[in-house]
């Protein structure tokens, strides 16, 4: 049975444009502080109806490719029934069904176990909210 549960929130400025924000260094710093060499699970959660979390490659164009793919799947136009906010905002409320607002990742001996090119990212297509909250929870 796990004997440690530590949870903390932090804010992420996302501005007024679609973004894929890399959270990996924040996750690593959190684990360096709280895991202290223990193994367990890191849960990453964003409590928003219009944002999600993805484990993807960043910096080589994949983050922009993800936003392009989401633009094709969820166009920002007037087809959506959910109509408050900026035009096409209804698609932002569908995003978490495709890019979920949570990710649970393995931690071994205090280290996040990501693949070579994997990063933990916040995906935000909602231009109406310039700041997001993310909760990190370590169970180990």
């Amino acid at each position: 049975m796990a004997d440690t549960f530590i949870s903390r929130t932090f804010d992420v400025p996302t501005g007024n444009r679609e973004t894929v924000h890399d959270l990996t260094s924040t996750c690593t710093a959190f684990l360096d502080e709280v895991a202290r060499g223990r193994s367990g699970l890191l849960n990453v959660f964003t409590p928003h109806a219009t944002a999600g979390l993805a484990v993807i490659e960043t910096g080589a164009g994949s983050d922009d490719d993800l936003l392009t793919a989401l633009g094709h799947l969820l166009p920002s136009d007037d087809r959506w029934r959910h109509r408050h906010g900026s035009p096409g905002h209804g698609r932002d409320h569908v995003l978490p069904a495709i890019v979920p607002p949570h990710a649970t990742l393995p931690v071994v001996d205090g280290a996040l176990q990501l693949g070579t090119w994997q990063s933990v990212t916040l995906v935000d297509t909602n231009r109406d909210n310039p700041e997001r909250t993310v909760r990190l929870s370590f169970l180990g």
Side-chain angles (χ1 to χ4, degrees), residues 38-124:
R38 289 189 302 269
S39 297
L41 296 172
L42 174 68
N43 181 265
V44 187
F45 177 73
T46 186
H48 300 285
T50 58
L53 295 156
V55 177
I56 62 167
E57 178 181 8
T58 60
S62 297
D63 35 358
D64 290 330
D65 290 341
L66 175 58
L67 292 175
T68 298
L70 290 170
H72 290 297
L73 287 170
L74 303 170
S76 182
D77 58 22
D78 65 356
R79 74 182 68 200
W80 307 100
R81 290 186 183 109
H82 187 107
R83 294 187 184 265
H84 82 280
S86 58
H89 174 66
R91 62 112 180 218
D92 300 324
H93 286 273
V94 177
L95 175 75
I98 297 169
V99 181
H102 56 85
T104 301
L105 306 163
V107 177
V108 176
D109 298 329
L112 189 57
Q113 298 298 295
L114 293 173
T116 302
W117 303 111
Q118 289 181 318
S119 296
V120 181
T121 65
L122 173 69
V123 180
D124 187 2

